[in-house]
Amino acid sequence: TRLRQLVSVLESQYSGDTILLIFPDGTGPAVLSAMLAGIPFNRVHELEFAPGELRTNVTPESVRALWKAKLEDSVVQEEYQQYLAQ
């Protein structure tokens, strides 16, 4: 897919650098997040970005933490926010 090709190019050309990706909608970054974290694509809607939403330090671990937080209650959501603050 195009997102996999993008990740491959970014990894080879910009390894170790900070990269800013801007998407026209919430689906692209949600699919990319699911791909990074190994989340099934039929669950990608659970990672959907809101318009104008910004996520930083996106890693497989942070995506899985967000996914878990969205599936559980507000206590887990608070723990996720603390994880991001570290």
Side-chain angles (χ1 to χ4, degrees):
T1 67
R2 293 186 301 191
L3 279 176
R4 287 186 186 173
Q5 291 172 341
L6 171 66
V7 170
S8 177
V9 169
L10 293 175
E11 285 177 338
S12 61
Q13 290 185 359
Y14 302 104
S15 180
D17 290 344
T18 298
I19 299 169
L20 173 65
L21 298 175
I22 300 173
F23 292 87
D25 61 20
T27 304
V31 171
L32 183 58
S33 295
M35 206 171 73
L36 286 171
I39 295 171
F41 290 129
N42 66 346
R43 310 282 305 264
V44 74
H45 64 280
E46 296 168 4
L47 297 171
E48 192 76 20
F49 280 56
E53 183 175 348
L54 174 67
R55 295 185 192 170
T56 60
N57 299 322
V58 177
T59 65
E61 295 79 20
S62 70
V63 173
R64 283 190 290 270
L66 172 63
W67 186 46
K68 182 179 177 183
K70 287 184 175 245
L71 295 176
E72 296 181 2
D73 61 11
S74 61
V75 173
V76 176
Q77 182 71 355
E78 185 177 308
E79 289 172 1
Y80 174 70
Q81 293 301 324
Q82 290 173 354
Y83 173 82
L84 288 180
Q86 296 175 349

